[in-house]
Amino acid sequence: QKLNLDLALKVSGVGETVEITDIAPVIETTRSSVSGSVNSKAVSELPVNGRNFLDFATLTPGVVRDSTRQGDLSFGGQRGTFNSIQIDGVDNNNNFFGQALGRTGSGRAPYQFSQDAVQEFQVNTNSFSAEFGHAAGGTINVVTKSGTNQWHGTAFEFFRDRILNANSLRRDGNLETAAQAPALIPVGFRYDTVSKTIVGQADKPAYHFNQFGGNIGGPIKKDRAFFFFNFDGQRNTRPIIAALGAQAPSVASTGCDAACVTASQAGLARLSPLVKNYTLGFNQDVYLAKLDWQLDSASRLSLRYNRQNFKGRNLENSGPTSAEEHSGGSNVTTDSYGVTLNSAFSAKLLNEFRAQVAFDKEPGIANTDNAEGNVLQGGTTAYIFGRNSFSPRATNEDKFQIIDNVTYITGKLSLKGGVDVIIEKIENFFPGNFGGRYFFQATNGFAEFGNHFNPASGTAYRFVSRYQQSFAGEGTAGALTRPNFNEYGAFLQADFRLSSKLNMNVGWRYDIQQMAAPKTFNPDARLAAAGLSTSQFHQDHNNLASRMGFAYNPTNKLVIRGGFGTFYGRTPAIALGTAHSNNGINVIGITLNNVRLPFDYPNRFLDLNAIRALGGTAATPDIFIFDKFYEQPFTFQGSLGVEYEVAKNLSVGASYLLVSGRQLSRTRDLNVGALTATPITIQGGGSLSFQRHLGATSPTRPIGGFGRISQFESTADSNYNALALTLNKRLAKNFQLLASYTWSKVLDNVPDQTSVVVGGGDDAKQAQQSLRLSDDRGLGVADVPHRLVASGSWDLNYFSRLTGPGRVALHGWQLGGILQVASNQPFSELVGADLNNDGNNRTDRTPGVGRNTLRKGKFAAVDFRLTKTFFFGEDKVKLQFIGELFNTFNRLNIGSFQGNRYRVSGLNTAAAALTSRFDYLFPTAQVTDGQRIGQLAVKIIF
């Protein structure tokens, strides 16, 4: 923050003191960037669900949730991977996944730093200084607490239980016809055919949630050395109610005679002991220790250590049809060490030296070593058990960073320059299908599962419909990759005070992300003929970004500010690691169909030769490569706005924000054939025409011997325009308020940096037609046209002069709250099948319908906090009782809808047709933790 403080000192008499306060003006007359600060009062006193302080970033304009990945934030319509989080001036990002260190907020670990250890943080949303790099979206700059000359501390306990919560929305089954509705909607619900919404409530699941801890800080030596220590713990459990997704026949039926029923019952008897309820656990301990030492009048040293220890029980995989043994522990251990040395060599020359070492270990532990087993009945998954397909796994990241910035101030010119070096040592182990997978998926999977163990069934003994297992390629590292990279950055920023009313700044920044190229080369001649290489990687060395801004204050109450610049982002190492291992050489997958195995479940093959000897054939590999012309993504950011002080401690502002993304990353399948216009009939009358890749029953690939050839490339773009209105009432007269309204629009053509798994949820992140990308230009997934956010706290400190019972009853009350009202993100109208025959059934839209033409309704919620404080020892000790309600009015906020308008039948035949679905646009899920949640707390402050 840059401030101009006019300090008037006058002699008041001999022996008296002159006190200079640090209260800044309500408007910053020299700031050109668009940024907002969340002060210590807001961090400590506003209600935040889960106590992740990063959630406060959504209180600022231009910041919304990125619906692509849970926990990510979108700045200016960009993906969450384009952001950067700094803690005490050093990088705090997990640069493998492209998220915060420890992947906090991603559905597992709740936070890396305790809310009670955060002093304040700044959210830079547009046109920020050249000092900040590695971010094409936004930068969050966090300052942790320090000790002072006064002893201070807290102790707290936050508690939740289902008795404090409202009932949640729940629906089981898929409605295909109106006649099915009574059977599939739970008792107490009804389906309104006009509004297409559920009316009713479900019971509350078991729920236990505790967060506790405290901190203490004070002097080691007055005026010279200080310490601060914080501990924060969480104990959180949630139940999984197990149930079979399909039932075994209990009496003879069509296609299942008496012997079939007997075998089905035998399979069910083997499966039933695994169908039992279990619990998810989200337990964490966080520690922070900090030492500040004023070495002399010109030098200050700060040392910080933070540890995050998260134990996630049964988070590797879970759900009603997934056994507990099919899950495992998802753990996170993050240790970060930071040092800062600020030195003033003279009144004009300042130096900031920072360094850190951080270790982020994220292992996934399997609950069993048994092979995975899948029992399907009539094509529907009945139950999954055994070791899941990707555990045990591990992702380890070691970070080493050095920063040195020098500031020189002379007259009306301030120069600041510096260098930044980050060394990332990454190890990722992801053994997909290495544990073996059984699929009992005949017409009656229960019978097949039962006969599998029955020698009396003759040739069916050890029979399985399908078996899969993957192995490391000979002479390769297999599923182990080391996608290391180094980052080098340098900047120069010049601030000019051209007059008492006009300030300008210009800056330049240069960044390099030097990534390790894939080491394994696939020599297949068909790839070479197509000009493709699995070991190619283009190092991008031309990332010079220029930035400029101005701030003009014609009066002391008005400031006009603007800025424009170029901002380069990172490429997360998960893409690099995927290209390292998914090349058709490192990992070899083998599939056996309708086979009699030499062993029964839960055994597996020990080596590649053994499964090949049984006639196993290598699955057609899906590979990932980098475009030989790959460039780092960047954005152009611009802003123009005004801010006006309408009264003491109150300002209003309006800003226009522009973010234009260029060279944005995406994953695109290169191995698809030409498109052909193809008609398809609609049951009930009419027909539609769509573009389909040639091939009768499966995609015809131009490059034989390979399935999908997914290329990471820099061909996507985006455009974000917004009008942001703000109101800031600084804390005065016991009240503070921050409010903003953002009117915005995001257009893009499906940029994404994390589509790295073929055949799963990552498929939805890609374009519908990889050969006609223009068809996918539409609203971005982060498009939120209207968003109103207001937060504030009010100290009802009007009875402090009372004494006795009156003071105890009336003094010490405080109100706090957050209001959020917004449009929900858009989504596409799909058909739920691979209509265009490219091997991806997650992106196929209704023919002729554009991308993201539907909207998930509106979101509205009020979070409320009521605090009663009791004072002891001349008000030096405070005892607080806190009650919080999240979504206070229990508004039903729908998180997802049934977006499949049609069901496709006879897809690969001349009789292909579209059948309308009864449940089109039916709400399928509430927003996560969407029902009203209550929380009680007690806190001691001294």
Side-chain angles (χ1 to χ4, degrees):
Q1 190 176 51
K2 300 180 177 68
L3 300 176
N4 293 326
L5 300 181
D6 297 321
L7 305 176
L9 309 182
K10 56 183 180 180
V11 178
S12 180
V14 177
E16 296 193 12
T17 62
V18 177
E19 182 176 331
I20 303 173
T21 65
D22 61 354
I23 299 177
V26 70
I27 60 174
E28 298 177 56
T29 59
T30 59
R31 173 173 58 85
S32 62
S33 64
V34 178
S35 63
S37 296
V38 181
N39 60 26
S40 59
K41 185 175 180 64
V43 171
S44 62
E45 297 179 0
L46 289 179
V48 56
N49 191 356
R51 289 174 48 80
N52 181 3
F53 71 91
L54 291 177
D55 289 342
F56 288 125
T58 60
L59 303 182
T60 57
V63 184
V64 299
R65 291 289 181 194
D66 185 350
S67 61
T68 306
R69 288 198 305 178
Q70 185 176 354
D72 284 8
L73 298 172
S74 172
F75 285 68
Q78 303 304 308
R79 293 291 188 269
T81 53
F82 287 161
N83 303 329
S84 178
I85 298 173
Q86 294 194 117
I87 304 289
D88 293 329
V90 294
D91 186 270
N92 198 70
N93 301 286
N94 181 304
N95 291 320
F96 179 82
F97 292 106
Q99 295 180 303
L101 211 63
R103 302 192 71 196
T104 56
S106 60
R108 293 175 178 174
Y111 42 80
Q112 182 199 357
F113 285 80
S114 169
Q115 181 183 354
D116 278 46
V118 174
Q119 179 68 25
E120 61 181 341
F121 66 95
Q122 179 189 56
V123 182
N124 296 287
T125 58
N126 192 287
S127 305
F128 39 88
S129 166
E131 179 179 355
F132 300 107
H134 316 302
T139 299
I140 298 176
N141 197 17
V142 182
V143 178
T144 59
K145 291 181 178 179
S146 296
T148 67
N149 275 330
Q150 301 295 322
W151 286 90
H152 56 86
T154 64
F156 61 88
E157 162 81 14
F158 287 80
F159 167 77
R160 298 185 194 178
D161 191 84
R162 64 179 177 178
I163 62 174
L164 303 174
N165 300 344
N167 292 332
S168 61
L169 167 67
R170 189 181 71 221
R171 180 177 71 87
D172 300 318
N174 294 316
L175 301 182
E176 296 296 330
T177 65
Q180 289 179 294
L184 293 177
I185 296 180
V187 176
F189 285 80
R190 66 179 177 84
Y191 175 60
D192 183 353
T193 58
V194 177
S195 63
K196 293 186 177 180
T197 58
I198 295 174
V199 179
Q201 292 180 332
D203 57 354
K204 306 175 189 178
Y207 184 58
H208 301 283
F209 194 158
N210 293 82
Q211 291 177 303
F212 52 91
N215 58 62
I216 187 170
I220 298 174
K221 183 177 182 181
K222 186 177 180 181
D223 296 332
R224 295 297 300 273
F226 316 92
F227 82 96
F228 178 80
F229 176 79
N230 180 86
F231 166 75
D232 192 307
Q234 172 182 288
R235 302 295 182 266
N236 180 9
T237 59
R238 298 177 188 175
I240 293 294
I241 309 302
L244 292 175
Q247 296 296 324
S250 57
V251 295
S253 58
T254 302
C256 191
D257 56 19
C260 171
V261 171
T262 300
S264 298
Q265 294 304 308
L268 179 62
R270 282 187 172 272
L271 196 60
S272 293
L274 299 174
V275 185
K276 57 183 180 181
N277 301 340
Y278 56 96
T279 301
L280 308 183
F282 304 79
N283 297 340
Q284 175 169 281
D285 293 320
V286 174
Y287 309 86
L288 180 140
K290 192 173 182 181
L291 173 66
D292 294 279
W293 185 11
Q294 191 71 37
L295 302 177
D296 53 42
S297 61
S299 301
R300 184 180 181 91
L301 177 67
S302 179
L303 305 175
R304 173 183 54 79
Y305 168 66
N306 189 82
R307 180 177 178 83
Q308 171 193 17
N309 188 17
F310 174 75
K311 301 293 185 183
R313 187 171 71 253
N314 295 327
L315 302 186
E316 287 292 90
N317 189 86
S318 63
T321 61
S322 179
E324 182 175 12
E325 70 173 20
H326 192 245
S327 188
S330 301
N331 299 336
V332 179
T333 302
T334 303
D335 296 280
S336 61
Y337 306 80
V339 57
T340 300
L341 176 62
N342 291 317
S343 304
F345 298 121
S346 69
K348 296 182 178 181
L349 185 61
L350 312 174
N351 190 82
E352 303 165 288
F353 172 81
R354 299 188 183 100
Q356 80 155 330
V357 177
F359 306 103
D360 192 356
K361 313 296 183 184
E362 301 192 25
I365 302 167
N367 280 346
T368 181
D369 192 43
N370 292 340
E372 181 183 274
N374 297 263
V375 174
L376 290 84
Q377 179 71 16
T380 299
T381 297
Y383 213 61
I384 307 176
F385 48 93
R387 168 178 153 186
N388 68 68
S389 62
F390 53 85
S391 300
R393 58 171 182 84
T395 303
N396 301 323
E397 180 176 351
D398 297 343
K399 185 192 303 287
F400 308 90
Q401 183 180 20
I402 293 177
I403 301 174
D404 194 77
N405 296 333
V406 179
T407 302
Y408 181 73
I409 304 170
T410 175
K412 296 181 179 181
L413 172 64
S414 174
L415 291 174
K416 187 173 186 178
V419 295
D420 180 3
V421 178
I422 300 177
I423 309 297
E424 296 278 3
K425 299 295 185 182
I426 300 172
E427 186 175 82
N428 184 57
F429 179 63
F430 192 84
N433 296 344
F434 274 56
R437 305 179 75 188
Y438 290 72
F439 291 86
F440 303 96
Q441 59 183 33
T443 302
N444 190 331
F446 283 98
E448 181 182 323
F449 186 52
N451 281 330
H452 179 77
F453 302 93
N454 182 14
S457 62
T459 58
Y461 178 46
R462 294 175 175 174
F463 176 83
V464 63
S465 291
R466 182 158 55 103
Y467 178 87
Q468 293 178 333
Q469 191 172 345
S470 294
F471 302 85
E474 185 178 354
T476 74
L480 176 65
T481 62
R482 293 183 174 87
N484 302 324
F485 66 86
N486 300 336
E487 289 184 298
Y488 307 97
F491 79 95
L492 177 65
Q493 178 88 12
D495 296 316
F496 304 90
R497 188 169 177 84
L498 299 181
S499 70
S500 61
K501 298 181 179 300
L502 179 61
N503 292 267
M504 293 195 66
N505 57 72
V506 294
W508 299 268
R509 184 173 184 93
Y510 180 65
D511 286 296
I512 298 175
Q513 185 180 6
Q514 190 174 43
M515 294 183 274
K519 296 181 179 180
T520 304
F521 173 69
N522 189 327
D524 194 289
R526 291 166 292 190
L527 292 177
L532 303 177
S533 172
T534 60
S535 61
Q536 68 189 17
F537 184 79
H538 176 239
Q539 299 288 352
D540 186 5
H541 292 157
N542 61 351
N543 301 331
L544 178 62
S546 58
R547 304 173 191 179
M548 64 174 298
F550 74 92
Y552 175 60
N553 55 309
T555 71
N556 290 332
K557 296 181 179 293
L558 175 67
V559 61
I560 303 169
R561 60 171 63 97
F564 186 81
T566 306
F567 300 80
Y568 280 91
R570 288 173 162 134
T571 297
I574 189 172
L576 187 62
T578 300
H580 278 216
S581 60
N582 289 260
N583 49 30
I585 299 293
N586 271 48
V587 176
I588 298 175
I590 302 293
T591 299
L592 298 170
N593 291 309
N594 300 316
V595 66
R596 186 180 181 188
L597 296 174
F599 46 74
D600 54 20
Y601 179 85
N603 297 293
R604 68 176 67 92
F605 291 94
L606 299 180
D607 57 60
L608 187 58
N609 292 330
I611 192 172
R612 279 177 170 167
L614 202 64
T617 58
T620 303
D622 298 304
I623 67 172
F624 287 80
I625 64 171
F626 268 88
D627 184 0
K628 58 185 176 182
F629 301 112
Y630 184 83
E631 301 281 340
Q632 291 291 81
F634 71 91
T635 58
F636 294 117
Q637 297 185 15
S639 63
L640 180 65
V642 297
E643 187 177 6
Y644 181 68
E645 183 179 350
V646 296
K648 186 178 181 181
N649 299 309
L650 177 65
S651 69
V652 295
S655 297
Y656 165 70
L657 308 177
L658 165 69
V659 180
S660 182
R662 295 293 183 267
Q663 297 180 183
L664 303 184
S665 310
R666 65 149 47 102
T667 306
R668 183 169 70 93
D669 185 5
L670 302 181
N671 200 17
V672 291
L675 291 167
T676 301
T678 307
I680 187 168
T681 61
I682 302 176
Q683 229 175 42
S687 66
L688 294 171
S689 178
F690 66 97
Q691 296 292 324
R692 179 175 174 82
H693 296 285
L694 297 177
T697 59
S698 61
T700 298
R701 304 291 184 180
I703 304 176
F706 294 91
R708 288 203 225 171
I709 300 179
S710 301
Q711 178 171 269
F712 299 116
E713 57 186 35
S714 308
T715 58
D717 57 73
S718 68
N719 196 52
Y720 172 87
N721 290 272
L723 172 66
L725 306 177
T726 59
L727 182 147
N728 181 19
K729 165 63 173 65
R730 189 170 59 185
L731 179 62
K733 296 183 179 179
N734 303 325
F735 179 68
Q736 74 174 21
L737 174 67
L738 180 65
S740 67
Y741 166 74
T742 307
W743 179 32
S744 65
K745 187 173 184 178
V746 183
L747 292 172
D748 63 30
N749 54 3
V750 204
D752 188 85
Q753 295 187 298
T754 59
S755 183
V756 295
V757 177
V758 167
D762 283 359
D763 278 359
K765 303 173 185 178
Q766 299 184 16
Q768 175 184 238
Q769 302 283 14
S770 61
L771 297 183
R772 297 181 59 173
L773 297 175
S774 59
D775 286 356
D776 279 88
R777 176 159 293 281
L779 295 176
V781 293
D783 181 66
V784 179
H786 304 281
R787 190 162 194 272
L788 172 66
V789 182
S791 62
S793 61
W794 185 13
D795 298 327
L796 304 179
N797 191 22
Y798 304 110
F799 306 98
S800 58
R801 295 184 179 181
L802 293 178
T803 59
R807 187 178 193 275
V808 173
L810 300 177
H811 180 52
W813 291 95
Q814 181 186 76
L815 304 178
I818 297 174
L819 164 69
Q820 298 187 67
V821 180
S823 311
N824 273 340
Q825 290 95 338
F827 65 104
S828 295
E829 180 183 299
L830 304 174
V831 295
D834 187 15
L835 200 61
N836 66 358
N837 199 32
D838 66 350
N840 180 354
N841 64 3
R842 301 293 186 105
T843 60
D844 294 76
R845 302 189 296 271
T846 299
V849 177
R851 172 173 158 264
N852 285 342
T853 57
L854 303 174
R855 182 77 64 178
K856 299 177 184 177
K858 299 178 178 62
F859 175 86
V862 174
D863 298 335
F864 175 74
R865 171 186 276 201
L866 175 65
T867 304
K868 169 59 177 173
T869 303
F870 295 93
F871 300 86
F872 303 93
E874 299 180 353
D875 295 352
K876 292 183 178 179
V877 178
K878 303 175 184 178
L879 175 63
Q880 292 184 336
F881 293 94
I882 301 169
E884 293 179 326
L885 293 175
F886 303 104
N887 191 12
T888 304
F889 301 106
N890 200 33
R891 185 183 187 277
L892 179 60
N893 291 303
I894 303 299
S896 63
F897 293 82
Q898 170 55 267
N900 294 336
R901 183 171 186 173
Y902 296 101
R903 181 174 295 280
V904 182
S905 59
L907 179 58
N908 295 306
T909 68
L914 298 175
T915 305
S916 297
R917 294 183 59 131
F918 166 74
D919 59 347
Y920 174 57
L921 295 186
F922 197 101
T924 56
Q926 222 172 342
V927 172
T928 303
D929 293 334
Q931 77 277 14
R932 181 176 60 243
I933 295 176
Q935 181 167 269
L936 300 176
V938 60
K939 179 180 283 190
I940 299 174
I941 305 172
F942 67 89

